Amino acid sequence: MHRSIRSRFRNISPRDAILILIGAASMYFYFSLPLQVPQLEQSTSILLDAHLSPLNSVQQPVVAEIPQTELVSHAPGWTIFRNLYMADGTLFIVTSNPESFPDPKLMTSTGLPAENTPESIAERMPTSRDMSVISPEEATRRWGGEKSTGEPNNIFPVEGSTVRPLLSTPITAHIYCISSFSMILGNVGCLAFASRCDLTLIFETVLNHYYHFCAELLFGAWAFWYGTFQGTSTIPPLTRAILPHATADEWRDGPGMNFFFLRSAWPSLTVETRPDWLDRVSTSALRAGESQGRAWWFDTVLLADRSAAFRGQECGERTQRTAAEAVKGVVERAGRTGFLERGWWEPVRQNVLRFAGVDTRTLGIGARAYKRASRGTPRTGGVEKVVVTYVSRQNVKRHLIPDDHEGLVRALTELCDRRGWELNVVAMERLSKEEQLSYVARTTVRTVRSFLCLRLTGLLLSSSSEFTGMV
């Protein structure tokens, strides 16, 4: 065998030997050089952003006195605070002047299911477990802090606005809802919905129902929020929604309009649900052996509560609509004659319709019509083209007698043909969300009253804020 190997080496030609030497030398020099990794194209690189704040932006402990709670705006069921606190699930108002705040029953409730019985009405009245008014001295005793020694308070800011609703319902730039609709707008920019009760069918019939969630709760919340801060340099954004008594699935409706509307209207808004709220409750509960606890500090909060709204005259005695209290509260305070400032709904409307793919010209129908009407133009209210939309409900449980439906369509067709108007007869349940919103956006509504539907609740949300009359 050794003889065989030696014979093979003897058979290598000088040329082969030189090639082997060159190859070995090349490998030696290649691996002795520093390893160079080619740069990836920017479009294929993976970016990791941990969102870590620089050290100088870390929240510093609060050493001074605990800020007292301020009442910014109030109507039955709708209250905006500055410096509202929460510990162990209880909302705390810290003040040396408790008489300056409304009765808690007009701000919040227990969140228990709402029934029209004396027993249900009584059990939904708030207790000190739901909301408590304490003095600055009591707040210091509970949450520490001593200015003379530099000992910091155990209160922890929740930045942004929060909305929290209650269902019997609540909202934070914090909106915090406790019963019915309770909304707390804590740090400007958050939205929260809450009800202090175990999940019941209330959530099946209210929170996950588009008409109540969007057309009542969010509609009323934005009206009250906008009406309170209009006239300031900017309307504070809503950044957080807290739903303390609903899971991620329980606030969504079957057709998917709730999340579509919420996400498109406020794209940067985050939603906290029951597990998140329970985290805040448990981490702020007083532990065994402790003399002082912790509290969450909400800077600006809208607290909305449906049961509390029904204790007001406008909702409880006249309209049975919680948003009516929100609108009336800001309108009367400003000395206006029953209307919010023109265009107040436009930021929400434009966001939703743009997200749905509605073109820019259609988005501006209301503004253009108002300009024409203000110059004394026409009976049509200033719109370039009258578009009449009849939302048919013939395929659902509540609908017209077939003969009446057909007669109505014939009459509308004759009217629109005679006047040169466009007529759309649509069954919304057969259309995508984007198609539904496209029809609503193109429909011209006002003096001509050109939107016809058996049930109008919710249609207003996508209509122009300039022209919103319906039949």
Side-chain angles (χ1 to χ4, degrees):
M1 180 177 179
H2 293 293
R3 179 183 296 273
S4 174
I5 294 175
R6 287 197 298 270
S7 64
R8 289 178 184 176
F9 277 109
R10 290 194 189 100
N11 293 332
I12 295 176
S13 67
R15 178 179 174 276
D16 292 337
I18 294 173
L19 291 175
I20 293 173
L21 181 61
I22 294 174
S26 299
M27 293 294 290
Y28 172 79
F29 284 114
Y30 177 80
F31 285 108
S32 65
L33 294 175
L35 181 62
Q36 299 293 325
V37 179
Q39 294 296 317
L40 296 176
E41 293 289 337
Q42 184 174 1
S43 60
T44 62
S45 52
I46 299 175
L47 302 179
L48 177 61
D49 184 359
H51 296 288
L52 297 178
S53 301
L55 291 178
N56 59 4
S57 67
V58 173
Q59 292 180 343
Q60 298 301 315
V62 179
V63 178
E65 298 87 356
I66 294 175
Q68 294 195 36
T69 305
E70 300 175 23
L71 181 66
V72 177
S73 185
H74 171 72
W78 306 87
T79 311
I80 296 178
F81 300 93
R82 293 198 193 281
N83 304 323
L84 189 68
Y85 304 87
M86 188 279 279
D88 195 19
T90 300
L91 299 175
F92 287 92
I93 295 173
V94 177
T95 180
S96 54
N97 186 18
E99 295 79 14
S100 63
F101 288 83
D103 190 320
K105 71 179 183 181
L106 296 177
M107 296 188 287
T108 191
S109 302
T110 61
L112 295 171
E115 298 177 9
N116 190 22
T117 64
E119 294 78 16
S120 176
I121 293 173
E123 70 182 7
R124 283 182 283 119
M125 287 294 180
T127 68
S128 58
R129 182 69 181 87
D130 305 294
M131 176 177 283
S132 184
V133 181
I134 61 175
S135 66
E137 294 76 19
E138 174 65 13
T140 299
R141 188 192 67 78
R142 286 173 176 266
W143 306 316
E146 179 54 57
K147 188 175 181 180
S148 60
T149 62
E151 184 66 25
N153 296 321
N154 288 327
I155 59 174
F156 299 90
V158 182
E159 296 181 349
S161 298
T162 302
V163 180
R164 183 186 169 200
L166 273 188
L167 273 178
S168 115
T169 308
I171 307 185
T172 303
H174 292 49
I175 295 181
Y176 172 90
C177 296
I178 295 202
S179 110
S180 300
F181 286 79
S182 291
M183 301 183 196
I184 298 179
L185 287 170
N187 298 343
V188 176
C190 303
L191 175 64
F193 300 81
S195 104
R196 188 162 276 116
C197 61
D198 293 332
L199 281 179
T200 67
L201 286 180
I202 287 285
F203 285 103
E204 295 299 322
T205 58
V206 179
L207 188 59
N208 66 355
H209 199 298
Y210 168 73
Y211 297 141
H212 293 292
F213 184 83
C214 295
E216 186 174 17
L217 177 60
L218 298 184
F219 185 84
W222 184 252
F224 197 67
W225 189 250
Y226 186 99
T228 295
F229 293 107
Q230 67 178 343
T232 59
S233 56
T234 58
I235 303 297
L238 298 177
T239 59
R240 184 179 300 107
I242 303 177
L243 310 173
H245 296 275
T247 64
D249 293 330
E250 288 164 339
W251 64 271
R252 290 171 165 84
D253 62 326
M257 290 301 294
N258 282 359
F259 74 78
F260 187 95
F261 185 91
L262 184 68
R263 301 300 189 188
S264 58
W266 295 281
S268 299
L269 180 143
T270 59
V271 179
E272 292 186 14
T273 56
R274 181 172 53 183
D276 306 293
W277 182 251
L278 292 177
D279 289 344
R280 295 190 183 278
V281 172
S282 63
T283 53
S284 58
L286 194 64
R287 292 171 293 185
E290 286 185 331
S291 60
Q292 292 183 329
R294 293 181 289 262
W296 298 105
W297 171 20
F298 296 101
D299 172 73
T300 306
V301 175
L302 167 59
L303 173 62
D305 187 295
R306 197 166 193 261
S307 287
F310 270 88
R311 296 177 189 127
Q313 290 187 348
E314 189 65 27
C315 175
E317 300 179 12
R318 297 191 182 98
T319 66
Q320 285 71 56
R321 296 294 180 269
T322 60
E325 290 287 357
V327 173
K328 183 180 179 182
V330 291
V331 165
E332 286 191 344
R333 186 167 56 251
R336 293 185 291 274
T337 57
F339 298 96
L340 285 164
E341 178 182 86
R342 176 171 283 107
W344 71 274
W345 187 246
E346 276 300 282
V348 178
R349 172 184 172 271
Q350 295 256 353
N351 281 355
V352 174
L353 295 182
R354 282 184 61 249
F355 189 81
V358 173
D359 62 272
T360 303
R361 180 167 182 78
T362 301
L363 289 177
I365 283 177
R368 294 195 304 276
Y370 173 71
K371 289 179 181 178
R372 289 188 178 88
S374 64
R375 293 196 295 265
T377 342
R379 299 181 310 169
T380 59
V383 296
E384 301 98 331
K385 180 180 181 180
V386 175
V387 180
V388 179
T389 300
Y390 168 32
V391 179
S392 170
R393 304 283 290 172
Q394 294 307 104
N395 299 315
V396 298
K397 183 177 180 180
R398 286 183 287 185
H399 59 269
L400 292 176
I401 297 171
D403 289 344
D404 291 343
H405 164 71
E406 293 169 4
L408 177 58
V409 172
R410 285 196 301 270
L412 287 172
T413 302
E414 178 186 348
L415 172 67
C416 293
D417 288 346
R418 186 172 69 249
R419 298 205 175 187
W421 295 348
E422 177 183 334
L423 172 64
N424 298 305
V425 180
V426 297
M428 292 296 199
E429 65 275 7
R430 295 181 176 178
L431 303 176
S432 68
K433 301 178 185 66
E434 290 79 5
E435 290 171 326
Q436 294 180 48
L437 290 168
S438 177
Y439 277 112
V440 174
R442 291 187 60 251
T443 300
T444 56
V445 183
R446 184 168 167 58
T447 314
V448 294
R449 302 194 173 200
S450 53
F451 213 128
L452 180 62
C453 179
L454 292 182
R455 185 166 184 175
L456 293 173
T457 314
L459 294 178
L460 183 63
L461 295 178
S462 314
S463 303
S464 169
S465 60
E466 305 291 351
F467 294 85
T468 52
M470 298 182 183
V471 272

